[in-house]
Amino acid sequence: MTATTVLTARALLLDMDGTLVNSDAVVERVWRRWADHHGLDGDEVMKVVHGRQGYASMAVLLPGRPMERNYADNARMLAEETADLDGVVPVPGAGEFLAALVRLGVPHALVTSADVPLSTARMGAAGLGLPAVRVTAESVGASKPDPEGFLKGAAELGVDPADCVVFEDSGAGIAAGRAAGMRVVGVGPRAAVHGPDAVVRDLTGLRVEPAADGFALHIG
């Protein structure tokens, strides 16, 4: 779709890492250490981990490994990531975009594979306010690309999934949004290859305005 795309919707569901917050530096540090420890190629590991909860990435990378070990590694790595905020910055335009949603009363939710401590720490480090509605790792039983998180976000906002637009950067997240029956705006270079309905480099240049039944999102 072109830079003049207009999507009408009643709610937005926003991923965090890679969408609102650029946390690539710490994600690379933590996951490459894990890859080295397990004798895996770091570049191949990085192709898998974005968008998923850690235990789900480990299940893909080490098939057959007991899930108890994946859950234990995941808990330890979440703590490491929460403590390591070096290089965590907002995606360009994120602060202005979130402020506009609040100012205009646009229903929106954060839907992230991070847990509460990590999402709170990263949003704070990036200087971004937390949406009132948040769906985190503790809220769901299945990781993206399962649609559970996005469906739960829509339900908490009281909006039909078909009336929601998802903002995502990863293949797993885009697949989850599509599986939920939602339209998806891809954010950043990782997103374009996964076929979202529209792609933006970052969150600058987005405009939201009231419409007859909800709001119009101008992408350009």
Side-chain angles (χ1 to χ4, degrees):
M1 299 177 78
T2 71
T4 58
T5 299
V6 179
L7 299 176
T8 56
R10 295 183 56 225
L12 295 181
L13 301 177
L14 310 170
D15 175 51
M16 182 181 71
D17 292 303
T19 301
L20 297 174
V21 174
N22 182 343
S23 57
D24 282 359
V26 60
V27 172
E28 289 262 350
R29 285 193 292 273
V30 170
W31 276 101
R32 286 185 182 277
R33 283 199 300 268
W34 184 88
D36 287 344
H37 180 73
H38 292 282
L40 300 175
D41 182 271
D43 291 340
E44 294 303 312
V45 167
M46 295 313 302
K47 294 177 182 177
V48 172
V49 301
H50 292 290
R52 292 180 172 87
Q53 290 193 44
Y55 73 83
S57 295
M58 294 169 197
V60 172
L61 293 162
L62 295 174
R65 185 192 197 211
M67 284 302 296
E68 290 78 8
R69 293 184 62 190
N70 294 339
Y71 288 128
D73 269 9
N74 184 51
R76 176 181 55 78
M77 291 172 71
L78 281 170
E80 289 181 15
E81 292 186 74
T82 301
D84 184 357
L85 300 175
D86 187 24
V88 174
V89 295
V91 167
E96 295 82 357
F97 185 53
L98 287 172
L101 299 184
V102 173
R103 184 175 68 253
L104 296 171
V106 174
H108 62 288
L110 186 72
V111 181
T112 176
S113 294
D115 61 7
V116 168
L118 181 57
S119 58
T120 302
R122 283 191 177 158
M123 291 288 280
L128 301 175
L130 283 163
V133 176
R134 300 184 289 278
V135 179
T136 60
E138 299 95 335
S139 309
V140 297
S143 169
K144 300 172 186 177
D146 191 281
E148 181 185 358
F150 287 124
L151 292 173
K152 184 162 285 189
E156 291 196 26
L157 293 171
V159 176
D160 189 272
D163 292 325
C164 296
V165 170
V166 166
F167 277 70
E168 264 284 0
D169 73 301
S170 70
I174 291 168
R178 287 203 172 283
M182 302 172 181
R183 291 155 293 161
V184 182
V185 176
V187 180
R190 279 194 295 267
V193 299
H194 299 289
D197 296 282
V199 181
V200 294
R201 180 181 59 187
D202 53 36
L203 300 179
T204 60
L206 295 174
R207 183 164 56 87
V208 182
E209 63 182 18
D213 184 20
F215 61 90
L217 176 66
H218 296 257
I219 302 172

